[in-house]
Amino acid sequence: MKQQQQFSVVNVNTNQLPVITEDTKTRYNWVPFGVYGHDDFFDAVTLAYNTSTTNAASIEGIADLIFGKGIYSKREELNDVIARILPQEELKRVSFDFKLFGNAAFQVYWNDDHTKIIKMYHIPVQTLRAEKIGGSPRVDNYYYCTDWNDQRKIKDKKKIPAFETSNEKMEILYIKHYCPGLYYYALPDYVSSLQFSISEAELSNLHLSNITNGFLPMVMVNFNNGVPAPEERQTIEDLLQAKFTGTNNAGRFMLSFNDDPLTKPTIETISIDNLHEKFQYVAEYAQDRILVSHRITSPLLFGIRTANNGFSSQSEEMKTAFSIMQTMTIMPFQNILLNAIDYALTCGGYADTELYFEQLTPLVILSQTAEETDKSVEQVEDEVNDSMENPATTEDEPVDTNEDVVMARATDTSDIDFIRTVGTQSAFFEREFK
């Protein structure tokens, strides 16, 4: 009698390398932005943030340092005006988007005469798509949609003019840095570690699967009494899965009743040597590459402890690492935001704003420096802010010196159509400010 054997072949899906595309050849008026497929860039970056612990901690920590304690003006009389035009919570959300996506946007509101900016709000940048350029070398409009994966919602998209391209009451101030090969959008600085973020996420999924399978080894169960019908094979497979997988089934044993020892099932363990060491190596390597891509000089700044610190003490490491990171990583982000905001305010009737970010310095650094210099923590903090100050620079323009007039114009926000952000969602609706 001819022997029969049946094997099941499992196809493993593999993630391809990121290929960044601005698709300008579609029939749409806007430009999709893709990384693994068509217009999936923002979704892919969000997934890497949501599933990778190291990536999420790095993004949140750097975004907090970028925002610091908020934005202020060296001209004390303008701080109340700026606080009304640009609420700190809105700036914090823009700072987070800028770090997470490499792109960020404000919705800018003008007065009726289009001579003064009266409000600047955050708008989730993943809801925007740039309009294809025509005769102009710049983007004139952006399209807003709450979900670009939903064709029904795309039909209800809203067209919004870009900043300084219209006389509309609301415009989009889109902020991004230069990125070779791209025109409409930019990439986050850590884009080269997207694959490592996915690897870290898959490792956590692997360990979860091991736990739910009761840490049972990989085995092959051979039944030596012929090949059953497909329905019977499926029944046997379901019974084995129900009895021997899951955390509640850990430690169970199998009983086999046989008429003939020659037809008894055989169980073969599939073992991989030093598997735990391989997992540990991949985890540490992925974490290291993610930290490198974010230009994090010391993981301790964000509460991440690694095997090799590279300094003789944690305090020494944090002081040196913070100084380097603040100068080489944080300030470039802050300068782009400052220049964009300062430019918008200058165009909107507020010149010589002399904006700067008040820095967020770890308390351990402030305390140690205060102890070494016999100064108070407040004095040391002021000195750190002065040394790290990065005021935006723009050309001087006439500015209204009447503080009452400036305040009145800045706080006149009645009768505005605007987008407000609630969590990660936003929608258009009408509201009156009083």
Side-chain angles (χ1 to χ4, degrees), residues 150-249:
D150 190 329
Q151 293 298 322
R152 290 175 298 180
K153 291 184 178 179
I154 291 178
K155 292 180 180 179
D156 298 328
K157 64 186 180 297
K158 186 177 181 67
K159 187 176 181 179
I160 309 173
F163 186 74
E164 271 204 308
T165 63
S166 73
N167 288 318
E168 297 291 330
K169 201 161 189 177
M170 183 183 75
E171 295 177 328
I172 295 295
L173 176 63
Y174 201 92
I175 303 173
K176 63 185 182 71
H177 56 80
Y178 167 71
C179 190
L182 298 179
Y183 179 82
Y184 296 93
Y185 308 102
L187 298 174
D189 59 335
Y190 62 92
V191 67
S192 58
S193 70
L194 278 182
Q195 292 291 88
F196 292 105
S197 298
I198 295 172
S199 298
E200 191 175 67
E202 291 296 341
L203 280 176
S204 66
N205 189 45
L206 174 67
H207 293 315
L208 177 61
S209 297
N210 281 332
I211 292 173
T212 56
N213 289 328
F215 289 103
L216 291 175
M218 290 185 294
V219 297
M220 177 180 288
V221 180
N222 298 304
F223 291 95
N224 303 309
N225 54 351
V227 179
E231 296 80 7
E232 187 177 353
R233 289 203 306 266
Q234 186 62 49
T235 301
I236 295 172
E237 181 180 338
D238 293 340
L239 287 173
L240 286 173
Q241 183 175 1
K243 285 182 176 294
F244 298 102
T245 61
T247 52
N248 293 330
N249 294 327

Side-chain angles (χ1 to χ4, degrees), residues 102-116:
N103 302 262
F106 282 105
Q107 38 188 325
V108 180
Y109 295 92
W110 296 81
N111 61 3
D112 293 334
D113 298 330
H114 206 82
T115 57
K116 284 282 185 180

